[in-house]
C-alpha cells in the first residue's frame, strides 16, 4: 500500500506530529501543489507535518514533483488505495466532475489505527495560517470538527435539503467536509465505517454524497469551528479578510476557470511559486466558454435536484420550532 515513507526521528521526538491527509488523482496535482505551497509558507518549524496523499492513479512524474515539498519537518507519503477501494467500488457513486477519491476520508479511522486525530483537506484550498492551529482544536468526544458550509448557509433550497433530506436538525449545523478534523478514536468506537457501508446500501444522497453521509452519521457529535478556517469565495459582509485562515475554492468557485472569483489573488500568489504554474495557466486558457456555461448549468441542475429531493420528503419542521 505505502509506496514511499520517510521518517525523521529527530522531528518525531522533538516536534508535535500533525497528520494531514489529501485525496487526489493526477488531474488535481497542480492544485495540490498550490495547497502544499501555502501550507509550507505558514508552517511552524516547531511541528512535524506528516502529509499523506491518498490516490489510485498518480504518475511517477507528479509524485517526484510533489515530493520536492518535503522538508526537515515535512514528510510526504503516497498511499495507493486501489486494493482497499476495490471491494466496495460498485457502491460508491459520484456526479458531475467528482471522482471516487472524495470518499477516501471516510475510511481513515480503519486505515490508520495508529492515529487518534487527523486533518483531512481538499486540494482546492489555500492556507493562510499555520494549519497546526486548527489541528490543536479541542474536540472533546465529538466525531468531527468542521465549519458551517457557506453554500448551505446562503441558499434556501440547500437549507431545506440539509434539514429535510440529510436530516440535520438545523441547516446552520451542516458542515463542509473539505476541511475536516476527524476524531479517529471516537469514530472507531462509533463503528463509523461499518455504519457508512450499511448506509450506502440503504440511502442514496444525490447532492453532496460523502459530505451528506458525514453530516447524517455524525449529527449531534459535531464541533463547529470558526468559518475563517473554511472560507468560500462568496460575498459576506460579516467576514473580515484579516480573519481568514483558509480559503476553499469549492464547487465552481475556481480562479483557474473564472476571472471574477473572490480571493483569487491568494491562489495566484501561491500558484506562481509552484512548478505547475504554466500548467495551471494552460488549464485556464483552455477552459472554454462552453465549459463555463456547463459549470453554471451544473449549479442550476444541482439546485433543481436539491429541491426535487426535498419535495419528496414530508416537512414536520414547523412543529419542532
Amino acid at each position: 500500500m505505502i509506496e514511499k515513507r520517510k521518517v525523521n526521528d529527530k522531528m518525531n521526538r522533538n516536534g508535535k506530529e500533525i497528520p494531514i491527509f489529501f485525496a487526489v488523482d493526477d488531474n488535481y496535482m497542480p492544485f495540490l501543489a498550490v495547497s502544499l505551497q501555502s501550507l509550507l509558507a505558514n508552517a511552524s518549524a516547531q511541528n512535524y507535518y506528516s502529509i499523506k496523499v491518498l490516490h489510485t492513479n498518480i504518475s511517477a512524474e507528479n509524485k517526484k514533483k510533489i515530493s520536492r515539498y518535503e522538508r526537515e519537518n515535512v514528510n510526504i507519503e503516497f498511499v495507493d488505495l486501489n486494493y482497499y477501494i476495490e471491494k466496495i467500488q460498485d457502491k460508491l457513486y459520484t456526479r458531475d466532475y467528482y471522482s471516487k477519491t472524495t470518499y477516501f476520508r471516510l475510511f481513515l479511522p480503519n486505515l490508520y489505527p495508529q492515529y487518534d486525530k487527523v486533518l483531512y483537506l481538499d486540494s482546492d484550498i489555500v492556507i493562510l495560517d499555520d494549519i497546526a492551529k486548527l489541528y490543536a482544536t479541542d474536540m472533546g468526544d465529538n466525531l468531527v470538527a468542521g465549519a458551517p458550509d457557506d453554500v448551505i448557509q446562503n441558499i434556501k433550497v440547500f437549507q431545506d435539503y440539509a434539514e429535510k433530506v440529510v436530516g440535520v436538525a438545523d441547516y446552520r449545523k451542516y458542515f463542509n467536509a473539505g476541511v475536516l478534523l476527524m476524531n479517529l478514536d471516537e469514530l472507531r468506537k462509533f463503528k463509523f465505517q461499518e455504519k457508512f457501508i450499511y448506509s450506502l446500501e440503504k440511502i442514496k444522497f444525490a447532492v453532496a454524497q460523502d459530505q451528506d453521509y458525514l453530516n447524517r452519521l455524525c449529527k449531534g457529535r459535531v464541533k463547529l469551528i470558526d468559518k475563517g478556517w473554511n472560507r468560500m469565495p462568496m460575498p459576506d459582509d460579516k467576514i473580515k479578510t484579516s480573519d481568514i485562515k483558509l480559503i476553499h475554492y469549492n464547487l465552481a468557485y475556481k480562479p483557474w476557470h473564472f476571472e471574477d472569483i473572490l480571493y483569487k489573488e491568494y491562489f495566484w500568489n501561491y500558484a506562481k511559486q509552484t512548478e505547475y504554474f504554466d500548467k495551471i495557466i494552460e488549464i485556464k486558457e483552455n477552459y472554454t466558454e462552453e465549459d463555463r456555461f456547463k459549470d453554471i448549468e451544473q449549479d442550476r441542475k444541482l439546485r433543481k435536484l436539491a429541491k426535487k429531493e426535498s419535495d419528496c420528503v414530508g416537512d414536520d419542521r414547523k412543529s419542532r420550532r
Side-chain angles (χ1 to χ4, degrees):
M1 175 181 76
I2 296 173
E3 301 169 29
K4 183 177 183 195
R5 179 186 294 274
K6 282 188 180 180
V7 177
N8 188 315
D9 291 332
K10 180 179 178 182
M11 287 307 302
N12 274 330
R13 287 196 302 268
N14 299 333
K16 182 176 181 180
E17 183 180 9
I18 314 297
I20 304 168
F21 289 80
F22 292 91
V24 297
D25 57 23
D26 249 353
N27 293 327
Y28 241 75
M29 296 305 278
F31 311 111
L32 173 63
V34 177
S35 299
L36 292 176
Q37 186 73 39
S38 67
L39 188 154
L40 266 61
N42 295 283
S44 168
Q46 304 305 310
N47 296 316
Y48 181 76
Y49 301 84
S50 181
I51 298 170
K52 303 187 190 302
V53 181
L54 310 178
H55 71 95
T56 56
N57 61 333
I58 295 179
S59 70
E61 180 184 359
N62 276 325
K63 289 178 185 177
K64 184 178 179 181
K65 288 181 178 180
I66 294 299
S67 293
R68 291 177 187 145
Y69 287 97
E70 289 193 313
R71 303 288 186 270
E72 183 182 5
N73 66 328
V74 178
N75 179 67
I76 298 176
E77 178 183 314
F78 298 97
V79 184
D80 187 339
L81 287 187
N82 269 300
Y83 83 100
Y84 197 84
I85 213 76
E86 278 178 2
K87 47 194 172 184
I88 59 168
Q89 181 138 336
D90 293 341
K91 298 178 182 178
L92 303 178
Y93 56 92
T94 59
R95 63 166 177 80
D96 302 333
Y97 52 82
Y98 288 94
S99 73
K100 291 181 180 179
T101 58
T102 189
Y103 285 98
F104 287 173
R105 75 199 87 181
L106 279 62
F107 304 119
L108 293 179
N110 288 24
L111 278 171
Y112 286 88
Q114 67 269 41
Y115 289 130
D116 290 338
K117 182 171 72 169
V118 302
L119 270 170
Y120 171 85
L121 302 175
D122 277 351
S123 300
D124 51 355
I125 64 169
V126 163
I127 301 164
L128 305 180
D129 202 345
D130 186 1
I131 201 68
K133 295 178 182 178
L134 176 57
Y135 182 79
T137 301
D138 183 0
M139 298 183 69
D141 66 350
N142 287 302
L143 299 175
V144 296
D149 190 296
D150 279 338
V151 174
I152 301 291
Q153 310 310 306
N154 287 283
I155 301 173
K156 178 65 165 61
V157 68
F158 291 132
Q159 295 170 7
D160 289 339
Y161 174 84
E163 294 185 357
K164 293 175 64 178
V165 180
V166 179
V168 296
D170 186 330
Y171 72 84
R172 288 168 290 190
K173 294 182 179 179
Y174 182 101
F175 61 90
N176 178 270
V179 178
L180 196 64
L181 188 57
M182 305 178 70
N183 189 338
L184 298 195
D185 184 45
E186 290 295 330
L187 284 164
R188 284 188 289 267
K189 292 176 184 176
F190 181 66
K191 297 184 178 179
F192 175 84
Q193 184 166 314
E194 179 182 323
K195 293 175 180 177
F196 165 61
I197 298 298
Y198 175 81
S199 297
L200 268 178
E201 298 174 348
K202 303 297 180 182
I203 309 166
K204 183 174 181 179
F205 290 121
V207 173
Q209 290 115 33
D210 59 307
Q211 181 169 285
D212 287 341
Y213 283 111
L214 277 162
N215 273 275
R216 171 91 168 210
L217 291 169
C218 297
K219 64 179 181 177
R221 297 186 64 183
V222 177
K223 182 180 181 65
L224 293 178
I225 60 174
D226 188 281
K227 284 186 179 182
W229 279 111
N230 193 348
R231 176 72 180 116
M232 297 176 193
M234 301 180 71
D236 188 338
D237 295 337
K238 297 177 183 178
I239 301 292
K240 296 179 181 178
T241 303
S242 58
D243 294 333
I244 298 174
K245 303 172 181 67
L246 184 152
I247 301 169
H248 187 185
Y249 301 99
N250 195 28
L251 299 175
Y253 299 101
K254 313 292 190 201
W256 56 93
H257 288 167
F258 293 91
E259 287 289 348
D260 56 343
I261 299 296
L262 195 61
Y263 311 131
K264 65 180 181 180
E265 64 272 19
Y266 296 99
F267 172 81
W268 290 114
N269 174 49
Y270 287 110
K272 288 175 184 176
Q273 300 175 49
T274 74
E275 59 182 300
Y276 284 98
F277 180 61
D278 289 342
K279 176 65 177 176
I280 296 172
I281 291 295
E282 180 185 339
I283 291 170
K284 188 172 186 293
E285 290 177 345
N286 290 334
Y287 206 74
T288 66
E289 287 303 315
E290 183 180 356
D291 292 326
R292 294 183 179 93
F293 174 79
K294 286 180 180 178
D295 269 349
I296 296 169
E297 187 67 8
Q298 280 178 353
D299 178 72
R300 187 189 67 80
K301 287 180 178 179
L302 189 58
R303 296 184 192 212
K304 186 176 180 180
L305 177 60
K307 186 177 188 311
K308 184 176 181 179
E309 292 278 318
S310 298
D311 287 347
C312 291
V313 181
D315 191 354
D316 64 346
R317 291 175 296 175
K318 290 182 181 179
S319 63
R320 291 191 280 116
R321 291 178 176 174

